[in-house]
Amino acid sequence: MDNFFLLALGEVLTIQTILLIIIGVICGIIAGSIPGFTVTMGIVLAFPFTFAMEPIQGLALMVAIMVGGYTGGLISGIMLGIPGTPSSITTVYDGFPLAQRGEPGRALGVGILSSFFGTIFSILVLTSFGPLVAKFSLNFGPWEIATLIIFALTLVGSLSDGAMLKGLIAAGIGLLIATTGLSAGGQMRFNFGYDFLSNGLQILPVLIGSFAFSQLMENVEKIKQNTEQGKKFKDINTNVKIPYRQILKDIWKQKFNLLRSSALGSTIGAIPAVGGSAANFVSYDQAKKFSKNPEAFGKGNPAGIVAAESSNNSVIGGAFIPTLTLGIPGNMTMAIMIGVLILHGITPGPLLFRDQPILVGSIYASLFVAAIVLVGVMFFLIRVFTKIAQIPPAILVPIVLMLAGVGSYALSNSMFDVWTLFLFGVIGYLFSKAGVPLTPMILGVVLGGQLEVNLFRALELETTWTTFFTRPISLTMIILTVLSIIFSTWQNYRMAKKRKELEQSEADEMNDDDFAKRA
Amino acid sequence: MVQDRIFGISVLIFCLIMFMETFNFAEKTPWQIAGPAVFPRFIIAVIAVVTLVLLIKSFLQKSDRTSSFSWETFINKYGKTIILFALFGVYVVLLPILSFIIATLLFLIVGQAVLMGLKKPKTIVLNLSISVIMTFSVYLIFTHLLNIWLP
């Protein structure tokens, strides 16, 4: 194990790859720091550039963007009070007040160091649990894999935004999209008699179209609000000094908080459908509960920044576990990562750890190098980043759209992929307007082929369906699937009831007021 | 809830079209356990059932909001989005005809002009310089560094 990590480290520590990691971290920080843009957007933009690279270099670039992206959100959060990404919302709670009190350098420094430790912690989690899960999942037959995919899909479908039915429909549509083109048995499906449809729809244009367009257009719709934010930016003093000794003291005081938040982040990251923003909220909440003086939170307490920033970075390592060991991406970022891996002819799954140990090791190594680069880049360039965060979406949106188009074209030098991108851009936008979550659809597209192959392989090996219920792991997955549906139905019902009660009580109050007035 | 109904009905129509198409698939070969249509049909059935539940739910819930629709607010909110979608569509059409550099320059300039306006000379200069820099740097990176041919 040590040996392959060293080999991988050697592979990563080339000038070219280190340069890519530095570029990746910087791009990630920028993507994260601009409000309205997310880590995923950074990954989307980078993916076309990875086509021509070696797999290890491509992965290094993507990993570096993730590390930078989860950290970049703290810049606008602390300086402006506007979270750069959804996963840095709770960073604002304490970061902004601390900066307002005249200590922006301390807030930023604590945030940066916490991000660093979060990343390092998550590498430890990934390196210790990843191989274990991979070894365990080597025993999985087609029954286990099929039921695991179904469980992941229903979990993501039912967890997304409380819109369980729509989430499940979206997952189904994704699975259906995955069946287009040649089937595993070599028969043509859903080409509607046209030649250009016979290759089926490629994963990446579908994924990027549906995600990027809906996000970008949301930015366009908020452009007025954003220009006001932009004005606010201009008044910000970007001349920040970082009190290094003070931050080290702050971090040392918060060592348990740091560990707890990182552990929470990694755990949450490993669960499909919940990611950085959930980790951010849960860790902040826990830090507050464990704290001796919880009333200091929200008023500029460094402990809050530590909890928020260490947890969102530690999500990365956790999220890699199901992605690499089982081939199941838990979120949009990981789905793109899988798309890129597949593009390079690498299939994530239990065999990856056995067959491509150096590639896996290079992910660990890239994470590690990126974490170190992150600290350096952040401390040196923090002023520049604060300025860059001011780039208005009016400039960025067309550029990002263009890059998405070029990237899709570059996939196989065909305009068909660009049309796919556009079509799914429209679909994704309409879906998000109708309150339909997109992640389940994306996951369906990524996992559809695997699901079908494994379902039928299971039936080829044993012609009866009952095997799915007699194998313990498969049965567990089925039970978990049913439970996840029941749980979210119950939760939806409870939320609807609560809302009704709230409306009722508001109406009662209004009546009371009326009554009081009349009296 | 109107949204849910529109979404539900569109999904059902989509399911119907896809279901009809499954009859054009090839027959299963003797060594296959199931034909190529089995899995898609199963998925279509699941989607249809869940969508029906969604539709029924949307009709059961009373929508207390009386939706007042006015074109003015609609255009105000979504006008730029629609233009940008259309622009991208035109860009995709023009890309193979005009070559990457010209089509991309046009797309970036018009796109930024739509979003930023053309009132201040400063924004026009910014717009033009960013468009030119982005177009050529992307072109150079792809064709020279990454050896990917662009139209």
Side-chain angles (χ1 to χ4, degrees), chain A residues 48-53 164-166 168-173 175-177 179-180 183-193 213-214 217 220-221 223-224 234 392-395 397-399 401-407 409-410 413 415 418-419 421-422 425-426 429 431 433-436 448 451-452 455-457 459-460 463 492 496 503, chain B residues 3-4 7-8 11 14-15 17-19 21-22 24-29 31-44 47 50-54 57 61 64 76-78 80-82 84-86 88-93 95-96 100 104 107-108 111-112 115-116 122 126 130 134-135 138 141-142 145-151:
Chain A
F49 296 99
T50 64
F51 293 169
M53 295 176 194
M164 184 185 73
L165 290 175
K166 288 184 207 165
L168 292 178
I169 295 170
I173 291 175
L175 288 176
L176 204 55
I177 292 168
T179 64
T180 57
S183 72
Q187 291 106 333
M188 185 55 64
R189 292 192 290 197
F190 297 117
N191 69 341
F192 294 90
F213 275 76
S214 62
M217 296 308 179
V220 171
E221 278 152 30
I223 239 165
K224 267 187 201 145
K234 289 204 177 104
I395 292 175
V397 170
I399 294 175
L401 286 179
M402 181 268 284
L403 279 172
V406 174
Y409 176 82
N413 280 358
M415 286 308 289
V418 189
W419 282 110
L421 172 91
F422 183 47
V426 177
Y429 177 73
F431 271 24
K433 283 291 150 198
V436 183
L451 176 62
E452 185 179 9
L455 269 181
F456 289 125
R457 195 174 292 155
L459 289 179
E460 271 165 24
T463 43
N492 280 359
E503 275 167 18
Chain B
Q3 280 172 343
D4 284 8
F7 172 70
V11 170
F14 170 73
C15 283
I17 295 170
M18 292 301 260
F19 184 69
E21 180 64 18
T22 59
N24 295 331
F25 294 175
E27 290 292 308
K28 86 178 180 91
T29 47
W31 46 267
Q32 266 180 318
I33 187 127
V38 174
F39 183 72
R41 278 185 194 155
F42 175 71
I43 299 290
I44 291 171
I47 300 175
V50 181
T51 311
L52 277 176
V53 176
L54 181 79
K57 246 182 95 181
Q61 271 170 347
D64 39 15
N76 221 333
K77 192 165 179 202
Y78 299 112
K80 284 184 176 169
T81 314
I82 295 168
L84 221 56
F85 266 118
F88 192 80
V90 173
Y91 176 54
V92 182
V93 173
L95 207 51
F100 172 81
T104 306
F107 174 70
L108 288 183
Q112 290 183 59
L115 295 179
M116 289 197 291
K122 201 180 133 195
L126 190 71
I130 286 175
M134 278 315 292
T135 306
V138 168
I141 290 177
F142 271 89
L145 274 177
L146 302 174
N147 291 323
I148 292 172
W149 184 80
L150 294 175

